[in-house]
Amino acid sequence: MAKKLGFGLMRLPENGAEIDVKHVEKMVDLFMERGFTYFDTAWMYCNFRSEEVTKKALVERHPRDSFTLATKLHSGFIQQKEDRDKVFNEQLRKTGVEYFDYYLIHDVNSHSIEVYDRLDVWGWIKEKKEAGLIREMGFSFHDGPELLDRVLTEHPEMEFVQLQINYLDWNSTGIQSRKCYEVATKHGKPVTVMEPVKGGTLAAVPEAVVNLFKEYAPEASIPSWAIRFAASLPNVRMVLSGMSNIEQVDDNTSFMQDLVPLNEEEQKRILQAVAIINRAIEIPCTGCRYCVDGCPMHIPIPDYFTLYNAEKQEVASKGWTPQQEYYANFAKKMGKASDCIRCGQCEGICPQHLPIIEDLTKVAALFE
């Protein structure tokens, strides 16, 4: 049975403005040395550079049968049927492979599904599999359980579903991770997990949560609790972690080599952690950055939300905090939060369905 940890090639290390390919090579090598084989990329990751880096760091350096590769087709880059093949053929060229082990229709939701239906991406991906260009076809999903049930009922040929699952979103009324997981399980579809650490949010938890976890398992890293939570679910086949440095690869592979599912006491502590974190995090942004490229005012939305949450998590007695300075640095070269013209483009593409316009007014009020 394949190990349950996948390498998400979404948040790769950078050296200045460029991706640090040499560092990525070391990360890939360590990941594979420890028996892990699953790599996940996508057309737009790392400002459209991830697939090319995958070719350099992985495909050109390791035998094709020693790894599995997943990539995706996103609705935002196809307007007509011809675009499906244009993107797909370019992905084959950029990654340097002759086929993809896993290919996903990316970010299915109530808006994107209109594009996928209109352009018959469902039939198209099936043809790619029949042609041997895809080994297994599935889709990633950011919406509610009702739509997921409809999609799986209408498209039983889909072989797996990629869902956002982490302990903070498990019972969230917005994300509804648990309910979506239950729908996929009902339809007999294995689940690949994305955002198990919620874009780093569950790696930088409040001190009270750190103490809660360290009291029980002093040697275990904080992210390990989040990744093991997702990996412990019976119908989860793979957990993707968007690793940014070799230290993260080292840590994740250490506890995922021989996965020990969460026990009853650990599950109890995670429930306590959720209660603590929900009191501390105000804007649950995962940092996917889908909102950034199309912003007409060039506002680095996820960065501002990260600073906002960090500021809100600071203890009152600390006095000076660095967030205001970081905000000023961003605002000098990019748009301020108050520059928002309320066009709504960001909210239309946000997988988390966040009220971004309203949240930006909070950021402006705090930092400006």
Side-chain angles (χ1 to χ4, degrees), residues 16 33-34 38 57 76 89 110 139 158 161 173 223 245 262 272 282 307 340 349:
E33 282 169 16
R34 294 189 174 174
Y38 192 109
N89 292 336
S110 56
F139 61 95
M158 291 293 108
V161 183
T173 56
N245 55 57
L262 295 176
Q272 293 175 286
E282 295 206 14
L307 294 176
C340 173
I349 201 171

Side-chain angles (χ1 to χ4, degrees), residues 7-9 39-43 45 50-51 54 69-72 95:
F7 192 150
L9 297 154
F39 293 85
D40 174 90
T41 183
W43 178 248
Y45 285 178
S50 176
E51 290 173 327
T54 300
L69 181 62
T71 193
K72 314 172 187 79
T95 57

